[in-house]
Amino acid sequence: MKEYLEPAQFIDSTHAAVVEFSRKNSSGNSERERAVSLYYAVRDEIRYNPFLDFSDREVFRASTVLAADQGFCVGKASLLAACARAAGIAARVGFADVKNHLTSPRLAETMGSDLFVYHGYTDLYLDGKWVKATPAFNLDLCTRFRVKPLEFDGRQDSIFHPFDQDNRRHMEYLRDRGTYADVPVEAIQQAFREAYPKFYRLGRDAAQETFAPQ
């Protein structure tokens, strides 16, 4: 468990801002309660935004996501893992390829696909087992898109719902990419270059887009 408790390059759990955010938001008497508290803090206080410059390695770093108050699924998973480690809870990041049947038209046009490779989640070691937590979509975003918010109790895996609030097909898991002690940034960037060449080439210009219902 040592590597899942120590700071890493992108899961920089000893960064002062990460330590402070973790301390402020890890309430409860047990590791499970503290993990749940941290999950909701990262889910709702950090806005989900997929329009980022993925050629910039900083978008994957926990402390950078915290400073920006926004991130996409991998960045937010990295932040939750860092906060958990700062609170003494073993954590790692995991990845899967998912198909989002409700991708906004603008995002689908920019990406050229509704397939999300290397979707990121956090894996937390609680009560003797690994439990998946997906802090990607903040509550406000879920409300606007009518997507069911992902709850987390620290006992059961919290992964995307297959259907939304209107029973439309939502998220489909296609491929497991495994778990890691740190974010495998080079592998993710390579996969993004291949899957989303137009989006990846936008670089800094990607941040000029906004993520809102169409």
Side-chain angles (χ1 to χ4, degrees):
M1 286 296 166
K2 186 178 180 181
E3 64 180 337
Y4 303 127
L5 287 165
E6 294 182 340
Q9 183 177 4
F10 295 96
I11 303 177
D12 52 347
S13 54
T14 55
H15 188 283
V18 172
V19 172
E20 175 59 21
F21 184 86
S22 177
R23 183 198 62 77
K24 178 182 175 183
N25 292 287
S26 56
S27 59
N29 297 319
S30 66
E31 285 192 351
R32 184 182 64 80
E33 290 173 340
R34 292 193 291 274
V36 169
S37 176
L38 287 170
Y39 169 81
Y40 284 104
V42 174
R43 189 194 77 173
D44 294 332
E45 294 187 27
I46 308 299
R47 181 172 64 90
Y48 175 78
N49 181 18
F51 288 110
L52 300 171
D53 177 4
F54 294 117
S55 67
D56 182 0
R57 293 161 64 87
E58 289 302 311
V59 304
F60 301 91
R61 195 183 311 277
S63 59
T64 303
V65 173
L66 180 59
D69 284 327
Q70 67 173 12
F72 76 122
C73 60
V74 177
K76 293 187 68 172
S78 177
L79 177 58
L80 179 55
C83 289
R85 291 182 188 180
I89 301 168
R92 60 192 183 186
V93 283
F95 302 91
D97 293 353
V98 298
K99 186 179 182 67
N100 186 347
H101 294 273
L102 297 178
T103 303
S104 73
R106 185 57 181 157
L107 181 56
E109 178 186 350
T110 304
M111 293 177 58
S113 175
D114 60 359
L115 173 67
F116 290 74
V117 298
Y118 275 97
H119 151 68
Y121 61 88
T122 311
D123 219 15
L124 301 165
Y125 195 74
L126 301 169
D127 298 330
K129 67 175 184 177
W130 289 102
V131 186
K132 296 180 177 67
T134 307
F137 296 162
N138 49 290
L139 184 59
D140 178 65
L141 181 73
C142 292
T143 301
R144 289 191 288 123
F145 278 95
R146 294 194 57 75
V147 170
K148 297 176 183 177
L150 283 178
E151 309 300 342
F152 181 60
D153 63 4
R155 296 187 176 94
Q156 303 296 323
D157 289 339
S158 175
I159 59 176
F160 283 133
H161 296 292
F163 298 94
D164 74 349
Q165 293 183 13
D166 299 315
N167 208 35
R168 296 175 298 176
R169 196 171 188 186
H170 181 205
M171 206 70 76
E172 180 182 0
Y173 284 80
L174 301 175
R175 176 183 176 184
D176 181 10
R177 294 272 188 171
T179 55
Y180 300 80
D182 198 10
V183 182
V185 171
E186 291 183 2
I188 295 174
Q189 287 181 323
Q190 180 61 33
F192 283 6
R193 278 193 293 267
E194 296 173 356
Y196 321 117
K198 174 186 172 183
F199 193 0
Y200 197 88
R201 285 195 302 268
L202 286 175
R204 294 180 180 179
D205 290 340
Q208 296 177 12
E209 298 285 350
T210 58
F211 192 50
Q214 301 289 324

